[in-house]
Amino acid sequence: MSTSPSRRFKDDVFEQFARIGKAVASPKRLELLDILCQGPRTVEVLADQASLSLANASQHLQVLRAARLIEAEKSGLFVTYRLAEGVEGFYLGLRHLAEARLAEVEATTRAWLEQRGAMESVDGSELLQRALSGDVTVLDVRPAEEYRAGHLPNARSVPLAELRSRLGELPTDREVVAYCRGPYCVLAIEAVRVLREEGFSAVRLETGPPDWRAAGVPVEAGS
Amino acid sequence: MSTSPSRRFKDDVFEQFARIGKAVASPKRLELLDILCQGPRTVEVLADQASLSLANASQHLQVLRAARLIEAEKSGLFVTYRLAEGVEGFYLGLRHLAEARLAEVEATTRAWLEQRGAMESVDGSELLQRALSGDVTVLDVRPAEEYRAGHLPNARSVPLAELRSRLGELPTDREVVAYCRGPYCVLAIEAVRVLREEGFSAVRLETGPPDWRAAGVPVEAGS
DNA sequence: CGACTAATCAAGAGATCGGTTGATTACATG
DNA sequence: CATGTAATCAACCGATCTCTTGATTAGTCG
């Protein structure tokens, strides 16, 4: 059976589209994209954060690069990968679609949060407004370096690892809002747990820098 | 080696996200989504338009359904599939990303169009404005049934199959704008070729109903 | 009820994908 | 130039995916 030329054309086109699809068909590659939404990273860091072997991470990154979703830049001994133009928006769109349509995502997160005893879910945008307003203490509990790369205007950097030892710095009469990398990062969840243990009134802001950028919320850089 | 609970959580979450990715990792499934952007269809029609065997189409549709991208409704002997909420936007986003980032898509289309001798590429949005303004003849060359489901305000339905025999209906002193299902549908390309052969000044509008809906362009229904 | 049809199910062959391991390349540094 | 390190390449196995074929399930109609 012979194929019509227009069929061949369509097959070609959709084959191309599917390259993007195939690139985001693997959980690990999605996780790499998620990490890269935070900013450029070297292969080693990516492999570490995504719990992959170096070789495996490198392979996944090359798949993403072949689909033009990320770009590589070699400087000296290190290769730094960054998201390509327009990919952050696409990834967030995929995530939102998954959250909206797959009840399982909600179920998984709920299960995790409940197990950590942190379930009161404050309305996200309202909480973000309060964080921006300045009448709560806003904590950025990511590693200091990530804080430097971009953070909420009046957030102070207190990496989770240092939180316990720096509790004295925090005013005890104000509510504390903690955030980290986004909805599926666990740093802020842990931070809130610690803060509550120590008697603070703390809540978690579920969104992170990528979400804010996409929504046009101002994100400061530097210390 | 034991995995930390937070690693397990992340793995679960990204596994869920990847369900969406896997669903759009196949060219055939993307084509099915593309067709469904035009409106609900039965399995048989989908199989036919995508050049798939019935069983194969059914399988692909079930993959899409498992990812909650489409919904099925059985009425009598037929099962009608439709896009789920928010999926059209996601699909268009994927397509735009592919067009923007994969030079190969551009190359494929260009090759096809050149071969058909139809390469002058008029600016899309400007052409759409002219089509809406009413001072050109606008032809919807899709099957009549699809015209009825939604079309540009002052377009008239002239299915490609009937075009040659109905050329007399068209004013000869005005430019003709023909459109079909979208950028990767070949009906309008063929229509423009025919029209030019017959002495008309004709151009193709590359966008289609899904694009217009996404852009907020009014789309009328009925005859 | 029996014939017919839309759609799905089930099983299998072949291709593709994912991750591991060990070697190799490319660059920096003493 | 020898050494060390970031990253990639190459080969391989098991798992998953795709499509085909043939049987099966639901629903319609005479």
Side-chain angles (χ1 to χ4, degrees), chain A residues 42-44 58-59 62 77-79 81:
Chain A
T42 66
V43 180
E44 197 180 23
S58 178
Q59 286 180 163
Q62 278 166 75
L77 211 46
F78 294 80
V79 176
Y81 283 93

PDB file of all heavy atoms in Angstrom, chain A residues 42-44 58-59 62 77-79 81, chain D residues 4-12 18:
ATOM      1  N   THR A  42      25.109  22.806  36.589  1.00  0.00           N
ATOM      2  CA  THR A  42      26.063  21.904  35.941  1.00  0.00           C
ATOM      3  C   THR A  42      25.529  20.478  35.989  1.00  0.00           C
ATOM      4  O   THR A  42      24.615  20.165  36.745  1.00  0.00           O
ATOM      5  CB  THR A  42      27.424  21.920  36.650  1.00  0.00           C
ATOM      6  OG1 THR A  42      27.260  21.382  37.955  1.00  0.00           O
ATOM      7  CG2 THR A  42      27.970  23.332  36.747  1.00  0.00           C
ATOM      8  N   VAL A  43      26.113  19.616  35.192  1.00  0.00           N
ATOM      9  CA  VAL A  43      25.654  18.230  35.115  1.00  0.00           C
ATOM     10  C   VAL A  43      25.724  17.557  36.471  1.00  0.00           C
ATOM     11  O   VAL A  43      24.800  16.858  36.895  1.00  0.00           O
ATOM     12  CB  VAL A  43      26.505  17.442  34.100  1.00  0.00           C
ATOM     13  CG1 VAL A  43      26.021  16.006  34.012  1.00  0.00           C
ATOM     14  CG2 VAL A  43      26.444  18.094  32.737  1.00  0.00           C
ATOM     15  N   GLU A  44      26.824  17.795  37.152  1.00  0.00           N
ATOM     16  CA  GLU A  44      27.007  17.128  38.434  1.00  0.00           C
ATOM     17  C   GLU A  44      25.897  17.510  39.414  1.00  0.00           C
ATOM     18  O   GLU A  44      25.294  16.649  40.058  1.00  0.00           O
ATOM     19  CB  GLU A  44      28.375  17.512  39.016  1.00  0.00           C
ATOM     20  CG  GLU A  44      28.811  16.577  40.114  1.00  0.00           C
ATOM     21  CD  GLU A  44      30.169  16.982  40.670  1.00  0.00           C
ATOM     22  OE1 GLU A  44      30.545  18.158  40.527  1.00  0.00           O
ATOM     23  OE2 GLU A  44      30.844  16.112  41.241  1.00  0.00           O
ATOM     24  N   SER A  58      23.630  12.719  32.259  1.00  0.00           N
ATOM     25  CA  SER A  58      24.175  13.262  31.018  1.00  0.00           C
ATOM     26  C   SER A  58      23.350  12.807  29.813  1.00  0.00           C
ATOM     27  O   SER A  58      23.047  13.587  28.918  1.00  0.00           O
ATOM     28  CB  SER A  58      25.627  12.813  30.863  1.00  0.00           C
ATOM     29  OG  SER A  58      26.167  13.277  29.650  1.00  0.00           O
ATOM     30  N   GLN A  59      22.969  11.535  29.826  1.00  0.00           N
ATOM     31  CA  GLN A  59      22.164  11.028  28.713  1.00  0.00           C
ATOM     32  C   GLN A  59      20.819  11.719  28.622  1.00  0.00           C
ATOM     33  O   GLN A  59      20.379  12.138  27.554  1.00  0.00           O
ATOM     34  CB  GLN A  59      21.950   9.523  28.863  1.00  0.00           C
ATOM     35  CG  GLN A  59      23.168   8.715  28.553  1.00  0.00           C
ATOM     36  CD  GLN A  59      22.934   7.229  28.705  1.00  0.00           C
ATOM     37  OE1 GLN A  59      23.715   6.442  28.209  1.00  0.00           O
ATOM     38  NE2 GLN A  59      21.869   6.845  29.397  1.00  0.00           N
ATOM     39  N   GLN A  62      21.054  15.069  27.274  1.00  0.00           N
ATOM     40  CA  GLN A  62      21.261  15.124  25.830  1.00  0.00           C
ATOM     41  C   GLN A  62      19.974  14.883  25.056  1.00  0.00           C
ATOM     42  O   GLN A  62      19.775  15.437  23.973  1.00  0.00           O
ATOM     43  CB  GLN A  62      22.343  14.135  25.433  1.00  0.00           C
ATOM     44  CG  GLN A  62      23.704  14.744  25.658  1.00  0.00           C
ATOM     45  CD  GLN A  62      24.794  13.715  25.618  1.00  0.00           C
ATOM     46  OE1 GLN A  62      25.152  13.240  24.556  1.00  0.00           O
ATOM     47  NE2 GLN A  62      25.289  13.349  26.787  1.00  0.00           N
ATOM     48  N   LEU A  77      36.080  23.350  32.517  1.00  0.00           N
ATOM     49  CA  LEU A  77      35.857  21.923  32.675  1.00  0.00           C
ATOM     50  C   LEU A  77      34.378  21.577  32.835  1.00  0.00           C
ATOM     51  O   LEU A  77      33.981  20.423  32.722  1.00  0.00           O
ATOM     52  CB  LEU A  77      36.641  21.463  33.910  1.00  0.00           C
ATOM     53  CG  LEU A  77      37.196  20.051  33.927  1.00  0.00           C
ATOM     54  CD1 LEU A  77      37.882  19.724  32.625  1.00  0.00           C
ATOM     55  CD2 LEU A  77      38.136  19.899  35.102  1.00  0.00           C
ATOM     56  N   PHE A  78      33.569  22.599  33.079  1.00  0.00           N
ATOM     57  CA  PHE A  78      32.166  22.353  33.389  1.00  0.00           C
ATOM     58  C   PHE A  78      31.231  22.658  32.216  1.00  0.00           C
ATOM     59  O   PHE A  78      31.478  23.580  31.444  1.00  0.00           O
ATOM     60  CB  PHE A  78      31.738  23.214  34.580  1.00  0.00           C
ATOM     61  CG  PHE A  78      32.434  22.827  35.855  1.00  0.00           C
ATOM     62  CD1 PHE A  78      33.727  23.256  36.109  1.00  0.00           C
ATOM     63  CD2 PHE A  78      31.787  22.027  36.789  1.00  0.00           C
ATOM     64  CE1 PHE A  78      34.370  22.899  37.282  1.00  0.00           C
ATOM     65  CE2 PHE A  78      32.422  21.674  37.957  1.00  0.00           C
ATOM     66  CZ  PHE A  78      33.719  22.100  38.212  1.00  0.00           C
ATOM     67  N   VAL A  79      30.179  21.880  32.145  1.00  0.00           N
ATOM     68  CA  VAL A  79      29.111  22.170  31.188  1.00  0.00           C
ATOM     69  C   VAL A  79      27.902  22.635  31.974  1.00  0.00           C
ATOM     70  O   VAL A  79      27.450  21.956  32.900  1.00  0.00           O
ATOM     71  CB  VAL A  79      28.737  20.935  30.357  1.00  0.00           C
ATOM     72  CG1 VAL A  79      27.554  21.235  29.452  1.00  0.00           C
ATOM     73  CG2 VAL A  79      29.926  20.468  29.544  1.00  0.00           C
ATOM     74  N   TYR A  81      23.961  23.651  31.906  1.00  0.00           N
ATOM     75  CA  TYR A  81      22.728  23.560  31.128  1.00  0.00           C
ATOM     76  C   TYR A  81      21.736  24.618  31.599  1.00  0.00           C
ATOM     77  O   TYR A  81      21.664  24.935  32.779  1.00  0.00           O
ATOM     78  CB  TYR A  81      22.100  22.171  31.264  1.00  0.00           C
ATOM     79  CG  TYR A  81      22.799  21.122  30.429  1.00  0.00           C
ATOM     80  CD1 TYR A  81      23.812  20.341  30.957  1.00  0.00           C
ATOM     81  CD2 TYR A  81      22.422  20.914  29.104  1.00  0.00           C
ATOM     82  CE1 TYR A  81      24.445  19.373  30.184  1.00  0.00           C
ATOM     83  CE2 TYR A  81      23.050  19.954  28.326  1.00  0.00           C
ATOM     84  CZ  TYR A  81      24.056  19.185  28.868  1.00  0.00           C
ATOM     85  OH  TYR A  81      24.686  18.229  28.110  1.00  0.00           O
TER      86      TYR A  81
ATOM     87  P    DG D   4      46.680  11.406  39.914  1.00  0.00           P
ATOM     88  OP1  DG D   4      46.865  11.282  41.372  1.00  0.00           O
ATOM     89  OP2  DG D   4      46.405  10.202  39.092  1.00  0.00           O
ATOM     90  O5'  DG D   4      45.508  12.463  39.662  1.00  0.00           O
ATOM     91  C5'  DG D   4      45.647  13.801  40.157  1.00  0.00           C
ATOM     92  C4'  DG D   4      44.403  14.592  39.812  1.00  0.00           C
ATOM     93  O4'  DG D   4      44.429  14.937  38.405  1.00  0.00           O
ATOM     94  C3'  DG D   4      43.099  13.827  40.058  1.00  0.00           C
ATOM     95  O3'  DG D   4      42.160  14.700  40.674  1.00  0.00           O
ATOM     96  C2'  DG D   4      42.656  13.409  38.670  1.00  0.00           C
ATOM     97  C1'  DG D   4      43.180  14.574  37.814  1.00  0.00           C
ATOM     98  N9   DG D   4      43.434  14.228  36.425  1.00  0.00           N
ATOM     99  C8   DG D   4      44.021  13.083  35.929  1.00  0.00           C
ATOM    100  N7   DG D   4      44.115  13.066  34.624  1.00  0.00           N
ATOM    101  C5   DG D   4      43.554  14.272  34.235  1.00  0.00           C
ATOM    102  C6   DG D   4      43.365  14.817  32.927  1.00  0.00           C
ATOM    103  O6   DG D   4      43.678  14.316  31.848  1.00  0.00           O
ATOM    104  N1   DG D   4      42.750  16.063  32.985  1.00  0.00           N
ATOM    105  C2   DG D   4      42.366  16.706  34.138  1.00  0.00           C
ATOM    106  N2   DG D   4      41.799  17.892  33.994  1.00  0.00           N
ATOM    107  N3   DG D   4      42.538  16.208  35.350  1.00  0.00           N
ATOM    108  C4   DG D   4      43.129  14.999  35.320  1.00  0.00           C
ATOM    109  P    DT D   5      40.746  14.124  41.214  1.00  0.00           P
ATOM    110  OP1  DT D   5      40.614  14.571  42.611  1.00  0.00           O
ATOM    111  OP2  DT D   5      40.662  12.688  40.837  1.00  0.00           O
ATOM    112  O5'  DT D   5      39.671  14.906  40.336  1.00  0.00           O
ATOM    113  C5'  DT D   5      39.847  16.282  40.054  1.00  0.00           C
ATOM    114  C4'  DT D   5      38.914  16.689  38.936  1.00  0.00           C
ATOM    115  O4'  DT D   5      39.484  16.306  37.663  1.00  0.00           O
ATOM    116  C3'  DT D   5      37.534  16.025  39.005  1.00  0.00           C
ATOM    117  O3'  DT D   5      36.548  16.995  38.722  1.00  0.00           O
ATOM    118  C2'  DT D   5      37.593  14.978  37.914  1.00  0.00           C
ATOM    119  C1'  DT D   5      38.465  15.706  36.890  1.00  0.00           C
ATOM    120  N1   DT D   5      39.095  14.829  35.879  1.00  0.00           N
ATOM    121  C2   DT D   5      39.149  15.247  34.579  1.00  0.00           C
ATOM    122  O2   DT D   5      38.709  16.307  34.200  1.00  0.00           O
ATOM    123  N3   DT D   5      39.735  14.371  33.714  1.00  0.00           N
ATOM    124  C4   DT D   5      40.275  13.132  34.011  1.00  0.00           C
ATOM    125  O4   DT D   5      40.778  12.429  33.151  1.00  0.00           O
ATOM    126  C5   DT D   5      40.192  12.757  35.399  1.00  0.00           C
ATOM    127  C7   DT D   5      40.744  11.428  35.835  1.00  0.00           C
ATOM    128  C6   DT D   5      39.611  13.601  36.265  1.00  0.00           C
ATOM    129  P    DA D   6      34.996  16.689  39.056  1.00  0.00           P
ATOM    130  OP1  DA D   6      34.536  17.591  40.132  1.00  0.00           O
ATOM    131  OP2  DA D   6      34.824  15.225  39.191  1.00  0.00           O
ATOM    132  O5'  DA D   6      34.324  17.157  37.694  1.00  0.00           O
ATOM    133  C5'  DA D   6      34.454  18.521  37.271  1.00  0.00           C
ATOM    134  C4'  DA D   6      33.850  18.653  35.899  1.00  0.00           C
ATOM    135  O4'  DA D   6      34.640  17.878  34.972  1.00  0.00           O
ATOM    136  C3'  DA D   6      32.418  18.120  35.779  1.00  0.00           C
ATOM    137  O3'  DA D   6      31.663  19.006  34.973  1.00  0.00           O
ATOM    138  C2'  DA D   6      32.569  16.753  35.139  1.00  0.00           C
ATOM    139  C1'  DA D   6      33.843  16.905  34.311  1.00  0.00           C
ATOM    140  N9   DA D   6      34.635  15.678  34.269  1.00  0.00           N
ATOM    141  C8   DA D   6      34.947  14.864  35.311  1.00  0.00           C
ATOM    142  N7   DA D   6      35.692  13.827  34.970  1.00  0.00           N
ATOM    143  C5   DA D   6      35.869  13.985  33.611  1.00  0.00           C
ATOM    144  C6   DA D   6      36.561  13.224  32.646  1.00  0.00           C
ATOM    145  N6   DA D   6      37.229  12.113  32.937  1.00  0.00           N
ATOM    146  N1   DA D   6      36.556  13.656  31.373  1.00  0.00           N
ATOM    147  C2   DA D   6      35.893  14.788  31.090  1.00  0.00           C
ATOM    148  N3   DA D   6      35.212  15.584  31.903  1.00  0.00           N
ATOM    149  C4   DA D   6      35.233  15.119  33.156  1.00  0.00           C
ATOM    150  P    DA D   7      30.096  18.731  34.765  1.00  0.00           P
ATOM    151  OP1  DA D   7      29.487  20.001  34.380  1.00  0.00           O
ATOM    152  OP2  DA D   7      29.578  17.956  35.900  1.00  0.00           O
ATOM    153  O5'  DA D   7      30.124  17.780  33.492  1.00  0.00           O
ATOM    154  C5'  DA D   7      30.631  18.297  32.266  1.00  0.00           C
ATOM    155  C4'  DA D   7      30.751  17.192  31.255  1.00  0.00           C
ATOM    156  O4'  DA D   7      31.677  16.203  31.712  1.00  0.00           O
ATOM    157  C3'  DA D   7      29.462  16.427  30.969  1.00  0.00           C
ATOM    158  O3'  DA D   7      28.938  16.889  29.733  1.00  0.00           O
ATOM    159  C2'  DA D   7      29.887  14.963  30.929  1.00  0.00           C
ATOM    160  C1'  DA D   7      31.407  15.032  30.986  1.00  0.00           C
ATOM    161  N9   DA D   7      32.037  13.916  31.678  1.00  0.00           N
ATOM    162  C8   DA D   7      31.942  13.582  33.003  1.00  0.00           C
ATOM    163  N7   DA D   7      32.631  12.522  33.346  1.00  0.00           N
ATOM    164  C5   DA D   7      33.233  12.127  32.159  1.00  0.00           C
ATOM    165  C6   DA D   7      34.106  11.066  31.844  1.00  0.00           C
ATOM    166  N6   DA D   7      34.526  10.175  32.734  1.00  0.00           N
ATOM    167  N1   DA D   7      34.518  10.957  30.561  1.00  0.00           N
ATOM    168  C2   DA D   7      34.093  11.865  29.663  1.00  0.00           C
ATOM    169  N3   DA D   7      33.280  12.906  29.846  1.00  0.00           N
ATOM    170  C4   DA D   7      32.882  12.976  31.129  1.00  0.00           C
ATOM    171  P    DT D   8      27.690  16.207  29.043  1.00  0.00           P
ATOM    172  OP1  DT D   8      27.075  17.231  28.202  1.00  0.00           O
ATOM    173  OP2  DT D   8      26.925  15.508  30.082  1.00  0.00           O
ATOM    174  O5'  DT D   8      28.331  15.106  28.072  1.00  0.00           O
ATOM    175  C5'  DT D   8      29.406  15.488  27.228  1.00  0.00           C
ATOM    176  C4'  DT D   8      30.005  14.250  26.584  1.00  0.00           C
ATOM    177  O4'  DT D   8      30.587  13.414  27.601  1.00  0.00           O
ATOM    178  C3'  DT D   8      28.998  13.378  25.841  1.00  0.00           C
ATOM    179  O3'  DT D   8      29.456  13.260  24.497  1.00  0.00           O
ATOM    180  C2'  DT D   8      29.007  12.061  26.598  1.00  0.00           C
ATOM    181  C1'  DT D   8      30.391  12.073  27.241  1.00  0.00           C
ATOM    182  N1   DT D   8      30.527  11.255  28.466  1.00  0.00           N
ATOM    183  C2   DT D   8      31.369  10.164  28.453  1.00  0.00           C
ATOM    184  O2   DT D   8      32.003   9.830  27.475  1.00  0.00           O
ATOM    185  N3   DT D   8      31.438   9.487  29.633  1.00  0.00           N
ATOM    186  C4   DT D   8      30.764   9.785  30.810  1.00  0.00           C
ATOM    187  O4   DT D   8      30.911   9.093  31.821  1.00  0.00           O
ATOM    188  C5   DT D   8      29.902  10.928  30.754  1.00  0.00           C
ATOM    189  C7   DT D   8      29.125  11.332  31.971  1.00  0.00           C
ATOM    190  C6   DT D   8      29.823  11.601  29.603  1.00  0.00           C
ATOM    191  P    DC D   9      28.535  12.555  23.412  1.00  0.00           P
ATOM    192  OP1  DC D   9      28.771  13.252  22.124  1.00  0.00           O
ATOM    193  OP2  DC D   9      27.171  12.428  23.950  1.00  0.00           O
ATOM    194  O5'  DC D   9      29.177  11.100  23.307  1.00  0.00           O
ATOM    195  C5'  DC D   9      30.565  11.004  23.054  1.00  0.00           C
ATOM    196  C4'  DC D   9      31.003   9.555  23.143  1.00  0.00           C
ATOM    197  O4'  DC D   9      30.993   9.129  24.512  1.00  0.00           O
ATOM    198  C3'  DC D   9      30.133   8.568  22.363  1.00  0.00           C
ATOM    199  O3'  DC D   9      30.991   7.796  21.553  1.00  0.00           O
ATOM    200  C2'  DC D   9      29.461   7.748  23.460  1.00  0.00           C
ATOM    201  C1'  DC D   9      30.493   7.814  24.574  1.00  0.00           C
ATOM    202  N1   DC D   9      29.979   7.624  25.955  1.00  0.00           N
ATOM    203  C2   DC D   9      30.506   6.608  26.758  1.00  0.00           C
ATOM    204  O2   DC D   9      31.376   5.871  26.276  1.00  0.00           O
ATOM    205  N3   DC D   9      30.061   6.463  28.026  1.00  0.00           N
ATOM    206  C4   DC D   9      29.124   7.290  28.499  1.00  0.00           C
ATOM    207  N4   DC D   9      28.719   7.113  29.764  1.00  0.00           N
ATOM    208  C5   DC D   9      28.575   8.335  27.704  1.00  0.00           C
ATOM    209  C6   DC D   9      29.021   8.467  26.447  1.00  0.00           C
ATOM    210  P    DA D  10      30.428   6.834  20.433  1.00  0.00           P
ATOM    211  OP1  DA D  10      31.451   6.815  19.363  1.00  0.00           O
ATOM    212  OP2  DA D  10      29.041   7.226  20.137  1.00  0.00           O
ATOM    213  O5'  DA D  10      30.425   5.407  21.139  1.00  0.00           O
ATOM    214  C5'  DA D  10      31.559   4.989  21.875  1.00  0.00           C
ATOM    215  C4'  DA D  10      31.383   3.550  22.293  1.00  0.00           C
ATOM    216  O4'  DA D  10      30.899   3.502  23.654  1.00  0.00           O
ATOM    217  C3'  DA D  10      30.378   2.761  21.468  1.00  0.00           C
ATOM    218  O3'  DA D  10      30.847   1.428  21.369  1.00  0.00           O
ATOM    219  C2'  DA D  10      29.103   2.860  22.279  1.00  0.00           C
ATOM    220  C1'  DA D  10      29.654   2.822  23.710  1.00  0.00           C
ATOM    221  N9   DA D  10      28.845   3.501  24.710  1.00  0.00           N
ATOM    222  C8   DA D  10      28.058   4.611  24.568  1.00  0.00           C
ATOM    223  N7   DA D  10      27.462   4.999  25.680  1.00  0.00           N
ATOM    224  C5   DA D  10      27.908   4.074  26.618  1.00  0.00           C
ATOM    225  C6   DA D  10      27.645   3.940  27.990  1.00  0.00           C
ATOM    226  N6   DA D  10      26.864   4.754  28.683  1.00  0.00           N
ATOM    227  N1   DA D  10      28.251   2.908  28.625  1.00  0.00           N
ATOM    228  C2   DA D  10      29.050   2.082  27.936  1.00  0.00           C
ATOM    229  N3   DA D  10      29.363   2.119  26.652  1.00  0.00           N
ATOM    230  C4   DA D  10      28.753   3.158  26.038  1.00  0.00           C
ATOM    231  P    DA D  11      30.172   0.367  20.396  1.00  0.00           P
ATOM    232  OP1  DA D  11      31.272  -0.140  19.536  1.00  0.00           O
ATOM    233  OP2  DA D  11      28.978   0.983  19.780  1.00  0.00           O
ATOM    234  O5'  DA D  11      29.714  -0.789  21.373  1.00  0.00           O
ATOM    235  C5'  DA D  11      30.588  -1.192  22.433  1.00  0.00           C
ATOM    236  C4'  DA D  11      29.793  -1.931  23.485  1.00  0.00           C
ATOM    237  O4'  DA D  11      29.110  -0.977  24.339  1.00  0.00           O
ATOM    238  C3'  DA D  11      28.700  -2.857  22.934  1.00  0.00           C
ATOM    239  O3'  DA D  11      28.757  -4.058  23.671  1.00  0.00           O
ATOM    240  C2'  DA D  11      27.415  -2.089  23.223  1.00  0.00           C
ATOM    241  C1'  DA D  11      27.782  -1.439  24.542  1.00  0.00           C
ATOM    242  N9   DA D  11      26.970  -0.298  24.963  1.00  0.00           N
ATOM    243  C8   DA D  11      26.472   0.713  24.184  1.00  0.00           C
ATOM    244  N7   DA D  11      25.775   1.609  24.852  1.00  0.00           N
ATOM    245  C5   DA D  11      25.829   1.146  26.159  1.00  0.00           C
ATOM    246  C6   DA D  11      25.291   1.650  27.360  1.00  0.00           C
ATOM    247  N6   DA D  11      24.573   2.770  27.438  1.00  0.00           N
ATOM    248  N1   DA D  11      25.535   0.945  28.484  1.00  0.00           N
ATOM    249  C2   DA D  11      26.260  -0.179  28.404  1.00  0.00           C
ATOM    250  N3   DA D  11      26.815  -0.742  27.346  1.00  0.00           N
ATOM    251  C4   DA D  11      26.562  -0.028  26.240  1.00  0.00           C
ATOM    252  P    DC D  12      28.178  -5.422  23.091  1.00  0.00           P
ATOM    253  OP1  DC D  12      29.273  -6.390  23.125  1.00  0.00           O
ATOM    254  OP2  DC D  12      27.456  -5.137  21.835  1.00  0.00           O
ATOM    255  O5'  DC D  12      27.119  -5.840  24.198  1.00  0.00           O
ATOM    256  C5'  DC D  12      27.492  -5.820  25.578  1.00  0.00           C
ATOM    257  C4'  DC D  12      26.286  -5.577  26.423  1.00  0.00           C
ATOM    258  O4'  DC D  12      25.904  -4.187  26.350  1.00  0.00           O
ATOM    259  C3'  DC D  12      25.041  -6.376  26.024  1.00  0.00           C
ATOM    260  O3'  DC D  12      24.734  -7.301  27.041  1.00  0.00           O
ATOM    261  C2'  DC D  12      23.958  -5.312  25.862  1.00  0.00           C
ATOM    262  C1'  DC D  12      24.534  -4.143  26.657  1.00  0.00           C
ATOM    263  N1   DC D  12      23.974  -2.814  26.284  1.00  0.00           N
ATOM    264  C2   DC D  12      23.439  -2.008  27.294  1.00  0.00           C
ATOM    265  O2   DC D  12      23.461  -2.417  28.459  1.00  0.00           O
ATOM    266  N3   DC D  12      22.915  -0.802  26.971  1.00  0.00           N
ATOM    267  C4   DC D  12      22.908  -0.399  25.693  1.00  0.00           C
ATOM    268  N4   DC D  12      22.375   0.800  25.425  1.00  0.00           N
ATOM    269  C5   DC D  12      23.445  -1.208  24.653  1.00  0.00           C
ATOM    270  C6   DC D  12      23.974  -2.395  24.983  1.00  0.00           C
ATOM    271  P    DT D  18       3.853   4.011  22.321  1.00  0.00           P
ATOM    272  OP1  DT D  18       4.053   5.374  21.811  1.00  0.00           O
ATOM    273  OP2  DT D  18       2.659   3.663  23.123  1.00  0.00           O
ATOM    274  O5'  DT D  18       3.913   3.010  21.087  1.00  0.00           O
ATOM    275  C5'  DT D  18       4.930   3.176  20.120  1.00  0.00           C
ATOM    276  C4'  DT D  18       4.675   2.227  18.973  1.00  0.00           C
ATOM    277  O4'  DT D  18       4.838   0.872  19.439  1.00  0.00           O
ATOM    278  C3'  DT D  18       3.266   2.317  18.397  1.00  0.00           C
ATOM    279  O3'  DT D  18       3.370   2.463  16.989  1.00  0.00           O
ATOM    280  C2'  DT D  18       2.603   1.003  18.806  1.00  0.00           C
ATOM    281  C1'  DT D  18       3.801   0.076  18.922  1.00  0.00           C
ATOM    282  N1   DT D  18       3.646  -1.085  19.854  1.00  0.00           N
ATOM    283  C2   DT D  18       4.029  -2.333  19.426  1.00  0.00           C
ATOM    284  O2   DT D  18       4.477  -2.545  18.316  1.00  0.00           O
ATOM    285  N3   DT D  18       3.868  -3.328  20.359  1.00  0.00           N
ATOM    286  C4   DT D  18       3.377  -3.207  21.638  1.00  0.00           C
ATOM    287  O4   DT D  18       3.283  -4.176  22.369  1.00  0.00           O
ATOM    288  C5   DT D  18       2.988  -1.860  22.023  1.00  0.00           C
ATOM    289  C7   DT D  18       2.438  -1.619  23.390  1.00  0.00           C
ATOM    290  C6   DT D  18       3.143  -0.878  21.128  1.00  0.00           C
TER     291       DT D  18
END
